[in-house]
Amino acid sequence: MSPRTALGDFRAYWLGTVACIGGFLFGYDSGLMGAIITFKSFQDDFHYGTHSATRTNSLVVGIQQAGAFVGCWAIWPIAARWGRRRAIMVCSAIFTLGAIIQTINSHSLGAFYFGRVVSGLGLGGSSVIISMFSSENAPKEIRGRLGSFYQLMYTFGIFTAYWVDYAVANLIGPVTRQWQIPIALQIIPAALLGIGMLTVSESVRWLAQKGRDEEAWESLKWIRADDSEETRAELKEIQLTLAQEQNARNGFQYTELLERDNFKRLSIGVVVFLCQQSVGATALAYYGPQFFKLLVGAGSSNLLLTAIFGAVKIVACGTFVLFFSERIGRKAALIGGGIFMSICMIIITILTKVDPPPGGGVVTGSGIGTVALIYANIMAYNFSWGPLPWPIVGEIFPARIKEIGIGTGVGSQWLWNFMYSFSVSYMMAAMNTYIFLFFGVADIFVVLFTVFFLKETRGLSLEEVQAVYASGAAKTVAKRASVGSEEERSSIDKTQSGHRENV
């Protein structure tokens, strides 16, 4: 283990912060369009009315997720050949181009959709590489905290988008710049992400994987702000781990993915993100004003309620990341969160049927109750299904299929994200307030999936996680692999001890 230095910690946090600007960008865009599609200025400039509003809203919000689904796969060869930093810079440039196309008042929905797809390519690619870049460079002592920055910055991005939309809706009349300003502001974090990559070093792990050992050493020295023998021993450990992973992948055949344990883990990786999208939080983030309209009726309060919703999200997410992320069991949190969210959604359905919102900007006691339940729901989400699927998918795959497994899981997240972001507008039009019942029932199935298929892994090493998810003969193999890993680690410890004695 490398000695901790104040400068090294600063550089690690700086690297994590710069990378997680991508999380802010993802969140800002997620919270942006739900309000913009309600602006009369946007509807007038792109010439569509109420008869085509549902289809247009679905495409404006959802089509970017389709681009992101493609982008999260397309970025892999770029990151493998050119490195993590360049891949993130490419994603930044692509997203910026898409944002510029969206900002131009072309009066063409086709051009706007194209800009959304281009931005999606950059967004999807960065979502994969940023987490990888951060985890490959962070000291193990703060890796979990830096990894949580992405989710926190994502939530902060949503919060910012809601309040920007609220501000322009109240300060600027129904003219073109009312919708152009929020969209153009995306360019700032996108540019900062790309430029920020120039201030940090390349992934040590990627350089070592390419056999560029001197560059890997220089990069590790810069990140740790230390050139001691302990830091050299850390580099040797990284090189040994890479060799072990390469050995584990030797002779890999894609048909192995159909083997029982591998297929089970791949299925879990896909379904866990389906569950994350099915609890309704993503739909609420994308279509906040429309959902609050169902709860309290049409009126100017919908944007304000959505902005407050964003504030509740960031407080809940920050509280979880800072105080609870390593203190509560993952499975227990997922089960408890699912049950609580189901109860909230079912009660909301009952209240909206017993006492429908009167409209005209009048908010009844029942309406206040449903809004409070939505806020409680999103708090539970940020303590459970918001942050926890990511570490679960990151740890359940053995080294032999790890890259394919994580790629499949993250890719499915964008697929389900697209499915819900595109369909929710139609669901609201067809189901009205019964959409809350849909999510409440979906929460029940999410809890059942957690009970029967997920394992508790908090506090376990990666080797122990593999053993927990293995079955039968596979569990024996995992146990042997764990023993081998411990023996190899013991050898590394002896090497490090020898270095210290020589010093």
Side-chain angles (χ1 to χ4, degrees):
M1 181 175 66
S2 298
R4 297 279 296 277
T5 65
L7 179 58
D9 281 353
F10 172 80
R11 287 176 176 174
Y13 280 113
W14 172 253
L15 184 146
T17 301
V18 169
C20 288
I21 293 174
F24 176 89
L25 187 62
F26 181 14
Y28 183 86
D29 188 84
S30 296
L32 183 67
M33 298 308 301
I36 286 178
I37 56 181
T38 69
F39 291 170
K40 188 176 184 300
S41 59
F42 185 82
Q43 296 167 0
D44 290 344
D45 280 339
F46 289 96
H47 311 299
Y48 70 94
T50 55
H51 65 285
S52 60
T54 299
R55 182 190 63 187
T56 303
N57 293 349
S58 294
L59 285 170
V60 167
V61 175
I63 201 167
Q64 179 163 279
Q65 279 62 52
F69 175 71
V70 176
C72 76
W73 292 105
I75 197 64
W76 282 99
I78 297 175
R81 182 172 181 177
W82 291 354
R84 316 313 191 205
R85 290 171 68 239
R86 289 183 180 178
I88 293 173
M89 292 169 71
V90 167
C91 290
S92 167
I94 292 173
F95 185 96
T96 302
L97 175 62
I100 292 172
I101 295 172
Q102 293 173 64
T103 304
I104 296 171
N105 187 11
S106 64
H107 301 287
S108 167
L109 280 172
F112 192 84
Y113 295 153
F114 177 71
R116 295 286 290 165
V117 171
V118 173
S119 288
L121 292 171
L123 195 62
S126 67
S127 71
V128 174
I129 303 304
I130 284 172
S131 297
M132 183 188 305
F133 178 71
S134 180
S135 66
E136 288 179 347
N137 284 310
K140 63 183 69 176
E141 297 85 0
I142 58 174
R143 184 177 295 136
R145 184 177 301 165
L146 291 181
S148 299
F149 277 8
Y150 190 88
Q151 178 70 18
L152 185 59
M153 291 289 280
Y154 167 79
T155 306
F156 185 60
I158 291 179
F159 167 81
T160 304
Y162 288 160
W163 283 98
V164 168
D165 284 344
Y166 178 70
V168 297
N170 286 277
L171 298 177
I172 301 175
V175 294
T176 297
R177 67 177 182 275
Q178 185 186 52
W179 62 265
Q180 281 182 320
I181 289 173
I183 292 176
L185 287 175
Q186 297 177 101
I187 297 171
I188 297 175
L192 288 176
L193 175 63
I195 295 171
M197 284 295 109
L198 298 174
T199 69
V200 298
S201 62
E202 180 56 271
S203 164
V204 178
R205 186 181 175 88
W206 179 79
L207 290 168
Q209 193 174 40
K210 293 297 181 180
R212 295 159 61 173
D213 294 335
E214 285 302 317
E215 293 175 69
W217 169 237
E218 292 299 321
S219 181
L220 186 61
K221 276 200 307 183
W222 181 85
I223 295 170
R224 301 291 183 264
D226 179 77
D227 61 356
S228 67
E229 288 299 319
E230 286 84 352
T231 303
R232 282 198 176 274
E234 182 182 357
L235 178 60
K236 291 179 187 286
E237 185 172 1
I238 291 171
Q239 293 168 329
L240 176 59
T241 300
L242 288 170
Q244 292 171 343
E245 292 177 358
Q246 183 59 49
N247 289 334
R249 291 192 295 266
N250 283 341
F252 171 77
Q253 300 291 327
Y254 282 99
T255 54
E256 295 176 33
L257 299 176
L258 300 177
E259 295 174 0
R260 179 182 175 183
D261 277 278
N262 288 340
F263 185 77
K264 179 178 72 175
R265 294 172 203 239
L266 285 169
S267 299
I268 289 174
V270 170
V271 175
V272 76
F273 279 118
L274 173 60
C275 291
Q276 185 192 53
Q277 300 300 311
S278 297
V279 299
T282 297
L284 286 166
Y286 286 143
Y287 293 96
Q290 292 86 338
F291 274 100
F292 285 109
K293 181 180 178 180
L294 292 177
L295 297 177
V296 301
S300 59
S301 63
N302 293 331
L303 285 178
L304 177 59
L305 292 173
T306 304
I308 296 173
F309 174 80
V312 172
K313 279 178 66 73
I314 195 170
V315 170
C317 183
T319 301
F320 176 81
V321 168
L322 295 176
F323 302 110
F324 293 98
S325 57
E326 296 298 334
R327 296 184 181 181
I328 57 177
R330 293 173 184 171
K331 185 171 182 177
L334 293 174
I335 292 173
I339 293 173
F340 186 86
M341 288 187 288
S342 179
I343 293 172
C344 288
M345 290 297 191
I346 292 172
I347 294 177
I348 288 171
T349 307
I350 295 172
L351 290 176
T352 54
K353 291 305 172 186
V354 172
D355 185 16
V362 178
V363 180
T364 64
S366 176
I368 294 173
T370 57
V371 170
L373 285 167
I374 284 292
Y375 291 163
N377 179 283
I378 205 63
M379 290 176 69
Y381 173 79
N382 279 282
F383 271 73
S384 57
W385 283 97
L388 292 178
W390 300 96
I392 288 173
V393 170
E395 68 191 9
I396 64 174
F397 297 105
R400 190 166 180 81
I401 63 167
K402 193 176 186 69
E403 288 189 2
I404 294 175
I406 293 177
T408 301
V410 174
S412 74
Q413 187 271 343
W414 283 112
L415 178 63
W416 306 131
N417 196 314
F418 166 69
M419 183 185 76
Y420 274 106
S421 62
F422 182 81
S423 62
V424 161
S425 186
Y426 289 98
M427 291 169 67
M428 283 192 288
M431 301 171 70
N432 202 265
T433 57
Y434 282 113
I435 192 172
F436 297 107
L437 180 62
F438 170 86
F439 288 125
V441 173
D443 286 328
I444 295 173
F445 284 98
V446 163
V447 169
L448 293 175
F449 165 76
T450 307
V451 170
F452 291 108
F453 294 100
L454 295 185
K455 312 292 185 182
E456 182 56 68
T457 58
R458 182 176 70 94
L460 300 183
S461 68
L462 291 180
E463 290 79 11
E464 290 169 332
V465 172
Q466 303 314 311
V468 165
Y469 274 98
S471 59
K475 186 171 289 189
T476 302
V477 172
K479 184 176 180 180
R480 289 174 180 169
S482 176
V483 171
S485 177
E486 290 172 4
E487 291 174 349
E488 288 162 345
R489 192 167 297 281
S490 175
S491 175
I492 294 171
D493 291 340
K494 291 177 180 177
T495 301
Q496 293 179 0
S497 177
H499 282 308
R500 288 190 290 268
E501 288 174 2
N502 289 337
V503 173

